[in-house]
């Protein structure tokens, strides 16, 4: 892992909060961080299953491949019509649209795991797509309120419409990150290239 990923993981791992917001500039490696968190939750039994929510369909297979590198098998072809997760996977990668279409299904998946003594860990990638007053935000709250852990990731932890983002702490209207890695730090560390506008 990169230094920022290790620092973010160590900070998260020290407290294991129910909700955490990790802010990292685009291209910094949020998926690898999410993989490390998922591995830790599954390994120690804090989560029996993992659900990763992404904003676009094409990202599902990409995230599943990244997780597979750490031995985490996520079903990127999971459909709401399936109703249940297969027994031979650690969870699924779904889109915000899927959750919005059937929030009660995902709420039940979280409750089913709780019955077996394990919680569900949820990674909300690019969480800024969901606002509390928007359809996606309401669906996320309904779906994942029973989850054991929710880790939200974003490069831009705010919404242009000014609405709050679910599962994110606010202080005087500003989102409060549990860990932040900005563009200047990424440039200094050689993680991202400088943007040049001709």
């Amino acid at each position: 892992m990169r230094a920022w990923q290790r620092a973010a993981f160590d900070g998260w791992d020290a407290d294991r909060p129910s909700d955490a917001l990790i802010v990292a500039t685009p291209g910094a490696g949020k998926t690898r961080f999410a993989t490390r968190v998922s591995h830790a939750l599954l390994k120690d039994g804090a989560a029996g299953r993992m659900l990763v929510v992404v904003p676009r369909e094409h990202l599902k297979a990409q995230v599943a491949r990244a997780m597979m590198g750490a031995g985490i098998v996520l079903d990127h072809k999971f459909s709401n019509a399936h109703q249940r997760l297969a027994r031979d996977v650690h969870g699924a990668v779904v889109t915000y649209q899927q959750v919005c279409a059937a929030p009660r299904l995902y709420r039940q998946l979280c409750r089913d795991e709780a019955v077996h003594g394990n919680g569900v860990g949820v990674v909300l990638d690019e969480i800024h797509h969901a606002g509390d007053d928007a359809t996606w935000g309401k669906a996320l709250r309904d779906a994942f309120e029973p989850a054991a852990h929710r880790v939200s990731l974003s490069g831009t932890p705010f919404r242009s419409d000014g609405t709050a983002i679910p599962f994110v702490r606010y202080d005087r209207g500003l989102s409060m990150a549990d860990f932040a890695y900005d563009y200047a730090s990424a440039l200094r560390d050689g993680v991202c290239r400088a943007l040049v506008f001709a």
Side-chain angles (χ1 to χ4, degrees):
M1 289 196 302
R2 293 172 174 158
W4 83 261
Q5 294 162 335
R6 284 193 302 273
F9 176 78
D10 290 345
W12 172 85
D13 195 38
D15 295 328
R16 294 276 181 109
S18 298
D19 292 301
L21 172 62
I22 306 301
V23 176
T25 192
K30 290 184 287 294
T31 302
R32 180 160 292 180
F33 169 78
T35 301
R36 181 65 185 100
V37 167
S38 299
H39 185 270
L41 289 172
L42 290 167
K43 183 178 179 184
D44 68 13
R49 300 286 190 130
M50 289 300 302
L51 292 171
V52 179
V53 188
V54 296
R56 290 174 207 79
E57 189 72 28
H58 76 275
L59 295 173
K60 290 163 58 173
Q62 182 179 320
V63 169
R65 277 194 303 275
M67 294 275 185
M68 180 66 80
I72 302 168
V73 181
L74 298 180
D75 183 359
H76 67 280
K77 295 183 180 179
F78 179 80
S79 161
N80 291 351
H82 293 153
Q83 297 290 309
R84 296 186 184 283
L85 295 168
R87 292 182 183 205
D88 60 347
V89 298
H90 295 109
V93 186
V94 298
T95 62
Y96 285 102
Q97 292 94 328
Q98 280 180 265
V99 176
C100 183
R104 293 294 169 152
L105 166 64
Y106 293 92
R107 186 178 188 88
Q108 189 59 51
L109 290 174
C110 290
R111 286 181 169 165
D112 288 347
E113 283 303 313
V115 166
H116 295 107
N118 296 313
V120 168
V122 179
V123 173
L124 300 162
D125 188 30
E126 303 299 348
I127 187 64
H128 57 270
H129 286 279
D132 268 346
D133 294 337
T135 305
W136 284 6
K138 291 174 183 175
L140 285 180
R141 283 208 177 274
D142 189 21
F144 299 127
E145 182 271 329
H149 294 278
R150 292 170 295 264
V151 177
S152 299
L153 308 174
S154 181
T156 52
F158 56 85
R159 289 181 52 81
S160 58
D161 63 9
T163 59
I165 300 168
F167 309 121
V168 171
R169 290 179 295 111
Y170 283 83
D171 181 21
R172 289 177 250 175
L174 296 176
S175 62
M176 303 301 294
D178 294 273
F179 184 89
Y181 184 67
D182 63 16
Y183 179 61
S185 299
L187 281 177
R188 185 187 62 242
D189 296 342
V191 169
C192 294
R193 290 181 292 183
L195 294 175
V196 177
F197 294 92

